Amino acid sequence: MNLTPGTKLGPYEIVGLLGAGGMGEVYRARDARLKRDVAIKVLPQALSLDADRLHRFQQEALATAALNHPNILSVFDIGTGADSSAGSPYVVSELLEGETLRERLRTGAIPMRKALDYALQIAHGLAAAHEKGIIHRDLKPDNLFLTKDGRVKILDFGLAKLTQPDDGTNTSMATMTHATDIGVVMGTAGYMSPEQVRGVALDARSDIFSFGAILYEMLSGKRAFHGDTAADTMSSILKEEPADLAETNRNVSPALERIVHHCLEKSPEARFHAASDIAFDLEHISGLSGSTARLQTASESPSRRKLWTALAGGIGLAALMLGLGWWLGQATHPASVAEYKQITFRTGPIGNARFTPDGSIVYSAQWDGGERELYLARTDDPGARELGLKGAELLSVSKNGELAIRLGSVGYGGYSVSGTLARVPLSGGTPREMLDNVQDADWAADGEHMAVIRYVPESQHWHLEYPIGKVLYDSIAWISSPKISPDGKWIAFGDHEIPGGDDQGSVAIVAADGSSNGKDKRLSSGWSSVEGILWSPAADEVWFASTSTGNTQDPRAVTLSGKLRTIANVPGGMWLEDIHKETALVVTHSQRVGIRGQAPGEKQERELGWFGWSELGDVSADGRKIVFEEEGNGGGPNYTVFVRSTDGSPPSRVGEGLSLAISPDSKFVITKPANGGPLNLVPTGAGEAKVLTHDNVSYTNVRFLPDGKRLVASGLEVGHAARDYLIDVASGDSKAITPEGTSGFSISPDGKSVAVHQGDGKWGVWPLEEGGGIRLIPGLDAAYRVASWSPDGASLYVVSSHPPGTPRVRMVSRVNMFTGKIEPWKEFGVPGDPGVTSMGRLYFSKDGSSYAYIYVRNTSQAYVVTGLK
């Protein structure tokens, strides 16, 4: 039954339908007496004839009306319709503006600070209900509403059960003690407690289990218990434990993980016994938030509540006057809207873009498939002139108009890259080289010193240095985008937390004087992507572009105390580049990472990517399958791993995380969590996945030996430089096999050797037997990257680290391992596509007849924006 607008239910006039569910339809209505909009839940007439459904509906109304708490939906009235509603019962409640937690979780995990705030509010609301003897029994993200002002409201006590008699003042409530008989399963699969699945008697600890499942999902972006069917899910609740949160979100503290697992204990006796205890522990690890402070006034002593009431009265009057003044001001001075002006119009990717001291713009770009160059543009002129610096990437512009640039860039995977730092006047001239292995740089206010992000090849660590040579932060994970605060006290940067160049991670700061003692302070964590870090015009916030899932980054701001806000929501996202006075410089990117390959016996390449951000992990020994992970918007917050036949058949999903290797028989793949963690052995067909490694090594590259029983993996661990490890597939045991600073993962056809490179960039062959040592390959140094061994084991296929000419093709050369003779072998790429901007990750089958590689198609545009605040 749908009520049409204008239908009257007592004093309420229906405005429109808001939604419908198993317990009835919800409408927006107007209360003619109090001149306010309300929500009305109406039980359809046919269902009102069902005595059990009607009883549960009435129970929801009475249970919710008995509660008066800011985190529980307020019920105003209950009645029975007439006329067109034909006697249908209805409940009137406050009208909420916002979204359900379920809707919010569709975008992925919630940043930890926000998740803690939501969890605290839910815990306080549950505690209030439990104190009155009411349990919810259907707590799930769909029944938690996030209002626009940041308040959480618990909805739908339709399955609530009164667990103890009322004090006698409400006899109608006391009749609800037998709302559901023991043995009847009610609730929602995935969030039910074990005792609820079994259909036994429940108490408040059942809600605590559901709360734990919700908190787990908020932090990880994944359901704690999930199966293909409801029966499978309920079996998982009874028998299985959810994956450790550290596997899905490395920012979760051990204390918070303990709280989650304490909520999810299978036995009620082992769980928290009260929601108020959960709230206490959450407050202890997070600090008292503003919302928590408001909620705690309900538990203050009567005398203190009177004091707060008096203070609130005065504060409320002041707030009313301020609000009235603001409203009047808005009436005459409407809020400004950000204005965007496009300043580039050609096809290709833009690198970094910066303002010059006079407000002009310098940027690096790779237009129309050509070589990367630097350009100078004005905001009032759509044209741009070349600066004559080919192959250069802009890094920063000093107050004196001097450019810091990067030359000879070499990529290490993902967004990680380094080259030679040089400085050159904006007016032109020959660049003066300063420092090798630099990724990013930022000029200090004095126009002389710089903060740099530098790659250390010997250890494969990343350093934040300021000034150059003074290490403020050392990390085995990739870091990026240093920005010195205007007062020179802090350096903000992106701490991406895992090796490999993935831009997920945190926004962090370190003290510029070194007083942070090598440790960073993370201001905002848990992002799937963090880019474009700046200091705000007032220097009181760090601005950055980020997203919780996918690759659509929106500009956000965070204070040094960690208070986060979103500056703007932009379709497709944008990266923040620079700020000049009150004008921002931003770049939008439209990027596709695809895979092309050739199957055995075929002569034409075909597209083997999938959703648009396909990162190739390996090619099978017979060349008939590839394994890859889908990142970006299609891959989800934890990425999705696929196996696909090179004949172009649709891929099959095998798990989550990063794809690293496929076994010689194609029956297993090696993965690891997107946020870092142990290696996993995952079957490509029937079977169960298992955690493989149990050490503290972060593995970046992995390959199976031909026997399928062992792995060779390049790894990093805290306190050590990169080296290779041998891993037993059956036990997961690992041991280091090369010295620190020597690593590689390309294995010889006979499985007896691996091609490795040293810290000085020289390549050699390392035998896997005990007592081996490196045998250097003449002439093969950091100018090359090894792609594979030749089938006869006598040569290596290599590619240039600095590919000349068009980036749309890549020449593979063959180098003799004994003589060092290098000769061209085969060209790969898409020469006819001007949108393709780079090639990477080329892998071959064992016989070299089939292969697959990554290509990137990227177009960007730059804008100047006024009105961002």
mmCIF file of all heavy atoms in Angstrom, residues 106-109 415 502-504 527-530 546-554 572 575 613 630-639:
data_model
loop_
_atom_site.group_PDB
_atom_site.id
_atom_site.type_symbol
_atom_site.label_atom_id
_atom_site.label_comp_id
_atom_site.label_asym_id
_atom_site.label_seq_id
_atom_site.Cartn_x
_atom_site.Cartn_y
_atom_site.Cartn_z
ATOM 1 N N ARG A 106 29.502 1.455 1.550
ATOM 2 C CA ARG A 106 29.647 1.064 0.142
ATOM 3 C C ARG A 106 30.878 1.715 -0.487
ATOM 4 O O ARG A 106 31.369 1.241 -1.508
ATOM 5 C CB ARG A 106 28.391 1.437 -0.649
ATOM 6 C CG ARG A 106 27.180 0.566 -0.288
ATOM 7 C CD ARG A 106 26.058 0.692 -1.292
ATOM 8 N NE ARG A 106 24.930 -0.157 -0.899
ATOM 9 C CZ ARG A 106 23.806 0.291 -0.379
ATOM 10 N NH1 ARG A 106 23.645 1.585 -0.189
ATOM 11 N NH2 ARG A 106 22.833 -0.531 -0.066
ATOM 12 N N THR A 107 31.375 2.778 0.094
ATOM 13 C CA THR A 107 32.583 3.432 -0.418
ATOM 14 C C THR A 107 33.846 2.883 0.216
ATOM 15 O O THR A 107 34.936 3.342 -0.083
ATOM 16 C CB THR A 107 32.521 4.957 -0.187
ATOM 17 O OG1 THR A 107 32.538 5.231 1.225
ATOM 18 C CG2 THR A 107 31.276 5.545 -0.814
ATOM 19 N N GLY A 108 33.712 1.895 1.107
ATOM 20 C CA GLY A 108 34.889 1.282 1.713
ATOM 21 C C GLY A 108 35.014 1.580 3.193
ATOM 22 O O GLY A 108 34.089 2.099 3.835
ATOM 23 N N ALA A 109 36.187 1.224 3.737
ATOM 24 C CA ALA A 109 36.446 1.406 5.162
ATOM 25 C C ALA A 109 36.350 2.874 5.559
ATOM 26 O O ALA A 109 36.568 3.771 4.744
ATOM 27 C CB ALA A 109 37.822 0.858 5.519
ATOM 28 N N TYR A 415 53.762 4.529 -8.119
ATOM 29 C CA TYR A 415 54.126 5.937 -8.263
ATOM 30 C C TYR A 415 55.560 6.221 -7.821
ATOM 31 O O TYR A 415 56.008 7.368 -7.893
ATOM 32 C CB TYR A 415 53.172 6.808 -7.436
ATOM 33 C CG TYR A 415 51.753 6.833 -7.945
ATOM 34 C CD1 TYR A 415 50.755 6.088 -7.323
ATOM 35 C CD2 TYR A 415 51.395 7.602 -9.043
ATOM 36 C CE1 TYR A 415 49.446 6.108 -7.781
ATOM 37 C CE2 TYR A 415 50.093 7.633 -9.515
ATOM 38 C CZ TYR A 415 49.118 6.883 -8.882
ATOM 39 O OH TYR A 415 47.815 6.905 -9.348
ATOM 40 N N ASP A 502 52.584 2.025 -4.084
ATOM 41 C CA ASP A 502 51.141 2.227 -3.963
ATOM 42 C C ASP A 502 50.906 3.471 -3.120
ATOM 43 O O ASP A 502 51.531 3.654 -2.083
ATOM 44 C CB ASP A 502 50.501 1.006 -3.312
ATOM 45 C CG ASP A 502 48.979 1.006 -3.446
ATOM 46 O OD1 ASP A 502 48.356 2.009 -3.054
ATOM 47 O OD2 ASP A 502 48.429 0.004 -3.916
ATOM 48 N N ASP A 503 49.978 4.348 -3.551
ATOM 49 C CA ASP A 503 49.808 5.629 -2.858
ATOM 50 C C ASP A 503 48.788 5.586 -1.733
ATOM 51 O O ASP A 503 48.378 6.633 -1.226
ATOM 52 C CB ASP A 503 49.450 6.752 -3.842
ATOM 53 C CG ASP A 503 48.103 6.557 -4.513
ATOM 54 O OD1 ASP A 503 47.537 5.450 -4.403
ATOM 55 O OD2 ASP A 503 47.629 7.497 -5.179
ATOM 56 N N GLN A 504 48.367 4.395 -1.293
ATOM 57 C CA GLN A 504 47.525 4.333 -0.094
ATOM 58 C C GLN A 504 48.351 4.727 1.126
ATOM 59 O O GLN A 504 49.573 4.675 1.097
ATOM 60 C CB GLN A 504 46.979 2.924 0.089
ATOM 61 C CG GLN A 504 48.029 1.859 0.288
ATOM 62 C CD GLN A 504 47.428 0.478 0.400
ATOM 63 O OE1 GLN A 504 46.740 0.188 1.370
ATOM 64 N NE2 GLN A 504 47.662 -0.368 -0.580
ATOM 65 N N TRP A 527 43.697 5.897 4.171
ATOM 66 C CA TRP A 527 43.219 6.255 2.841
ATOM 67 C C TRP A 527 43.700 5.249 1.802
ATOM 68 O O TRP A 527 44.824 4.770 1.849
ATOM 69 C CB TRP A 527 43.704 7.653 2.462
ATOM 70 C CG TRP A 527 43.174 8.725 3.363
ATOM 71 C CD1 TRP A 527 43.868 9.414 4.311
ATOM 72 C CD2 TRP A 527 41.825 9.214 3.411
ATOM 73 N NE1 TRP A 527 43.040 10.313 4.955
ATOM 74 C CE2 TRP A 527 41.782 10.212 4.419
ATOM 75 C CE3 TRP A 527 40.671 8.910 2.706
ATOM 76 C CZ2 TRP A 527 40.616 10.889 4.720
ATOM 77 C CZ3 TRP A 527 39.507 9.598 3.016
ATOM 78 C CH2 TRP A 527 39.491 10.571 4.009
ATOM 79 N N SER A 528 42.853 4.963 0.826
ATOM 80 C CA SER A 528 43.241 4.101 -0.286
ATOM 81 C C SER A 528 44.188 4.834 -1.225
ATOM 82 O O SER A 528 44.989 4.208 -1.911
ATOM 83 C CB SER A 528 41.992 3.655 -1.059
ATOM 84 O OG SER A 528 42.331 2.930 -2.199
ATOM 85 N N SER A 529 44.117 6.157 -1.242
ATOM 86 C CA SER A 529 45.007 6.972 -2.075
ATOM 87 C C SER A 529 45.214 8.308 -1.396
ATOM 88 O O SER A 529 44.253 8.932 -0.934
ATOM 89 C CB SER A 529 44.395 7.176 -3.469
ATOM 90 O OG SER A 529 45.156 8.097 -4.226
ATOM 91 N N VAL A 530 46.479 8.741 -1.315
ATOM 92 C CA VAL A 530 46.833 10.059 -0.772
ATOM 93 C C VAL A 530 47.781 10.738 -1.758
ATOM 94 O O VAL A 530 48.832 10.188 -2.092
ATOM 95 C CB VAL A 530 47.520 9.953 0.606
ATOM 96 C CG1 VAL A 530 48.052 11.312 1.038
ATOM 97 C CG2 VAL A 530 46.556 9.411 1.643
ATOM 98 N N SER A 546 42.478 12.742 -1.479
ATOM 99 C CA SER A 546 42.441 11.353 -1.008
ATOM 100 C C SER A 546 41.103 10.724 -1.332
ATOM 101 O O SER A 546 40.129 11.401 -1.668
ATOM 102 C CB SER A 546 42.680 11.299 0.508
ATOM 103 O OG SER A 546 41.566 11.838 1.211
ATOM 104 N N THR A 547 41.087 9.400 -1.203
ATOM 105 C CA THR A 547 39.851 8.641 -1.328
ATOM 106 C C THR A 547 39.951 7.413 -0.447
ATOM 107 O O THR A 547 41.047 6.895 -0.205
ATOM 108 C CB THR A 547 39.586 8.226 -2.794
ATOM 109 O OG1 THR A 547 38.373 7.487 -2.871
ATOM 110 C CG2 THR A 547 40.709 7.359 -3.339
ATOM 111 N N SER A 548 38.801 6.955 0.026
ATOM 112 C CA SER A 548 38.771 5.753 0.846
ATOM 113 C C SER A 548 38.803 4.489 0.009
ATOM 114 O O SER A 548 39.192 3.426 0.485
ATOM 115 C CB SER A 548 37.511 5.736 1.732
ATOM 116 O OG SER A 548 37.523 6.808 2.638
ATOM 117 N N THR A 549 38.380 4.597 -1.238
ATOM 118 C CA THR A 549 38.405 3.447 -2.131
ATOM 119 C C THR A 549 38.489 3.944 -3.556
ATOM 120 O O THR A 549 37.995 5.018 -3.886
ATOM 121 C CB THR A 549 37.158 2.563 -1.952
ATOM 122 O OG1 THR A 549 37.258 1.425 -2.803
ATOM 123 C CG2 THR A 549 35.891 3.316 -2.289
ATOM 124 N N GLY A 550 39.136 3.171 -4.428
ATOM 125 C CA GLY A 550 39.255 3.564 -5.822
ATOM 126 C C GLY A 550 40.288 4.645 -6.027
ATOM 127 O O GLY A 550 41.219 4.818 -5.247
ATOM 128 N N ASN A 551 40.118 5.415 -7.116
ATOM 129 C CA ASN A 551 41.112 6.428 -7.462
ATOM 130 C C ASN A 551 40.471 7.780 -7.771
ATOM 131 O O ASN A 551 41.016 8.567 -8.527
ATOM 132 C CB ASN A 551 41.937 5.955 -8.666
ATOM 133 C CG ASN A 551 41.081 5.678 -9.898
ATOM 134 O OD1 ASN A 551 39.967 5.213 -9.774
ATOM 135 N ND2 ASN A 551 41.610 5.952 -11.075
ATOM 136 N N THR A 552 39.306 8.042 -7.165
ATOM 137 C CA THR A 552 38.651 9.341 -7.329
ATOM 138 C C THR A 552 38.926 10.177 -6.096
ATOM 139 O O THR A 552 38.193 10.127 -5.109
ATOM 140 C CB THR A 552 37.138 9.153 -7.550
ATOM 141 O OG1 THR A 552 36.918 8.317 -8.681
ATOM 142 C CG2 THR A 552 36.468 10.492 -7.783
ATOM 143 N N GLN A 553 40.029 10.948 -6.147
ATOM 144 C CA GLN A 553 40.467 11.682 -4.968
ATOM 145 C C GLN A 553 39.767 13.034 -4.870
ATOM 146 O O GLN A 553 39.714 13.786 -5.846
ATOM 147 C CB GLN A 553 41.985 11.906 -5.001
ATOM 148 C CG GLN A 553 42.803 10.623 -5.042
ATOM 149 C CD GLN A 553 43.173 10.189 -6.437
ATOM 150 O OE1 GLN A 553 42.592 10.636 -7.418
ATOM 151 N NE2 GLN A 553 44.157 9.320 -6.539
ATOM 152 N N ASP A 554 39.258 13.328 -3.680
ATOM 153 C CA ASP A 554 38.663 14.629 -3.398
ATOM 154 C C ASP A 554 39.587 15.422 -2.483
ATOM 155 O O ASP A 554 40.272 14.847 -1.627
ATOM 156 C CB ASP A 554 37.306 14.480 -2.715
ATOM 157 C CG ASP A 554 36.208 14.091 -3.686
ATOM 158 O OD1 ASP A 554 36.245 14.589 -4.831
ATOM 159 O OD2 ASP A 554 35.331 13.294 -3.322
ATOM 160 N N GLY A 572 35.046 12.521 -10.533
ATOM 161 C CA GLY A 572 36.314 12.104 -11.108
ATOM 162 C C GLY A 572 37.512 12.449 -10.266
ATOM 163 O O GLY A 572 38.600 11.930 -10.489
ATOM 164 N N TRP A 575 43.742 16.355 -8.073
ATOM 165 C CA TRP A 575 44.922 16.458 -7.217
ATOM 166 C C TRP A 575 45.244 17.924 -6.968
ATOM 167 O O TRP A 575 45.235 18.741 -7.897
ATOM 168 C CB TRP A 575 46.126 15.796 -7.872
ATOM 169 C CG TRP A 575 46.043 14.308 -7.995
ATOM 170 C CD1 TRP A 575 44.931 13.529 -7.832
ATOM 171 C CD2 TRP A 575 47.118 13.409 -8.321
ATOM 172 N NE1 TRP A 575 45.243 12.211 -8.030
ATOM 173 C CE2 TRP A 575 46.573 12.102 -8.330
ATOM 174 C CE3 TRP A 575 48.465 13.585 -8.598
ATOM 175 C CZ2 TRP A 575 47.351 10.979 -8.619
ATOM 176 C CZ3 TRP A 575 49.234 12.465 -8.885
ATOM 177 C CH2 TRP A 575 48.682 11.179 -8.883
ATOM 178 N N TRP A 613 42.140 -0.612 -14.023
ATOM 179 C CA TRP A 613 43.391 -0.387 -13.285
ATOM 180 C C TRP A 613 43.954 -1.764 -12.952
ATOM 181 O O TRP A 613 43.972 -2.210 -11.818
ATOM 182 C CB TRP A 613 43.158 0.438 -12.020
ATOM 183 C CG TRP A 613 44.428 1.078 -11.520
ATOM 184 C CD1 TRP A 613 45.507 0.446 -10.974
ATOM 185 C CD2 TRP A 613 44.763 2.466 -11.535
ATOM 186 N NE1 TRP A 613 46.493 1.349 -10.650
ATOM 187 C CE2 TRP A 613 46.063 2.601 -10.979
ATOM 188 C CE3 TRP A 613 44.110 3.608 -11.963
ATOM 189 C CZ2 TRP A 613 46.694 3.821 -10.842
ATOM 190 C CZ3 TRP A 613 44.742 4.823 -11.812
ATOM 191 C CH2 TRP A 613 46.015 4.933 -11.257
ATOM 192 N N GLU A 630 43.059 -6.020 -9.590
ATOM 193 C CA GLU A 630 42.327 -4.858 -10.068
ATOM 194 C C GLU A 630 42.303 -3.829 -8.956
ATOM 195 O O GLU A 630 41.802 -4.096 -7.860
ATOM 196 C CB GLU A 630 40.913 -5.245 -10.465
ATOM 197 C CG GLU A 630 40.213 -4.221 -11.322
ATOM 198 C CD GLU A 630 40.895 -4.012 -12.666
ATOM 199 O OE1 GLU A 630 41.261 -4.993 -13.328
ATOM 200 O OE2 GLU A 630 41.066 -2.832 -13.048
ATOM 201 N N GLU A 631 42.889 -2.668 -9.211
ATOM 202 C CA GLU A 631 42.887 -1.586 -8.235
ATOM 203 C C GLU A 631 41.875 -0.533 -8.688
ATOM 204 O O GLU A 631 40.943 -0.842 -9.398
ATOM 205 C CB GLU A 631 44.310 -1.023 -8.097
ATOM 206 C CG GLU A 631 45.317 -2.091 -7.666
ATOM 207 C CD GLU A 631 46.735 -1.559 -7.453
ATOM 208 O OE1 GLU A 631 46.915 -0.332 -7.474
ATOM 209 O OE2 GLU A 631 47.651 -2.379 -7.283
ATOM 210 N N GLY A 632 42.040 0.714 -8.271
ATOM 211 C CA GLY A 632 41.136 1.764 -8.721
ATOM 212 C C GLY A 632 39.711 1.547 -8.252
ATOM 213 O O GLY A 632 39.426 0.806 -7.313
ATOM 214 N N ASN A 633 38.773 2.209 -8.929
ATOM 215 C CA ASN A 633 37.381 2.177 -8.496
ATOM 216 C C ASN A 633 36.764 0.790 -8.600
ATOM 217 O O ASN A 633 35.877 0.438 -7.831
ATOM 218 C CB ASN A 633 36.558 3.168 -9.335
ATOM 219 C CG ASN A 633 36.957 4.602 -9.090
ATOM 220 O OD1 ASN A 633 37.315 4.963 -7.985
ATOM 221 N ND2 ASN A 633 36.912 5.430 -10.132
ATOM 222 N N GLY A 634 37.212 -0.020 -9.561
ATOM 223 C CA GLY A 634 36.618 -1.329 -9.750
ATOM 224 C C GLY A 634 37.154 -2.397 -8.825
ATOM 225 O O GLY A 634 36.550 -3.462 -8.693
ATOM 226 N N GLY A 635 38.291 -2.132 -8.177
ATOM 227 C CA GLY A 635 38.929 -3.166 -7.379
ATOM 228 C C GLY A 635 38.504 -3.215 -5.937
ATOM 229 O O GLY A 635 38.799 -4.194 -5.244
ATOM 230 N N GLY A 636 37.842 -2.177 -5.440
ATOM 231 C CA GLY A 636 37.444 -2.145 -4.041
ATOM 232 C C GLY A 636 38.580 -1.703 -3.140
ATOM 233 O O GLY A 636 39.733 -1.585 -3.572
ATOM 234 N N PRO A 637 38.287 -1.462 -1.857
ATOM 235 C CA PRO A 637 39.296 -0.914 -0.946
ATOM 236 C C PRO A 637 40.464 -1.849 -0.696
ATOM 237 O O PRO A 637 41.558 -1.406 -0.359
ATOM 238 C CB PRO A 637 38.505 -0.655 0.345
ATOM 239 C CG PRO A 637 37.330 -1.589 0.259
ATOM 240 C CD PRO A 637 36.988 -1.672 -1.196
ATOM 241 N N ASN A 638 40.264 -3.158 -0.846
ATOM 242 C CA ASN A 638 41.335 -4.120 -0.588
ATOM 243 C C ASN A 638 41.897 -4.724 -1.866
ATOM 244 O O ASN A 638 42.720 -5.632 -1.813
ATOM 245 C CB ASN A 638 40.817 -5.235 0.325
ATOM 246 C CG ASN A 638 40.285 -4.698 1.629
ATOM 247 O OD1 ASN A 638 40.938 -3.905 2.293
ATOM 248 N ND2 ASN A 638 39.085 -5.105 1.995
ATOM 249 N N TYR A 639 41.467 -4.230 -3.023
ATOM 250 C CA TYR A 639 41.855 -4.719 -4.342
ATOM 251 C C TYR A 639 41.332 -6.150 -4.549
ATOM 252 O O TYR A 639 41.044 -6.867 -3.603
ATOM 253 C CB TYR A 639 43.356 -4.661 -4.572
ATOM 254 C CG TYR A 639 43.982 -3.291 -4.367
ATOM 255 C CD1 TYR A 639 45.342 -3.158 -4.131
ATOM 256 C CD2 TYR A 639 43.217 -2.130 -4.408
ATOM 257 C CE1 TYR A 639 45.930 -1.917 -3.945
ATOM 258 C CE2 TYR A 639 43.784 -0.883 -4.228
ATOM 259 C CZ TYR A 639 45.152 -0.783 -3.981
ATOM 260 O OH TYR A 639 45.722 0.448 -3.799
#
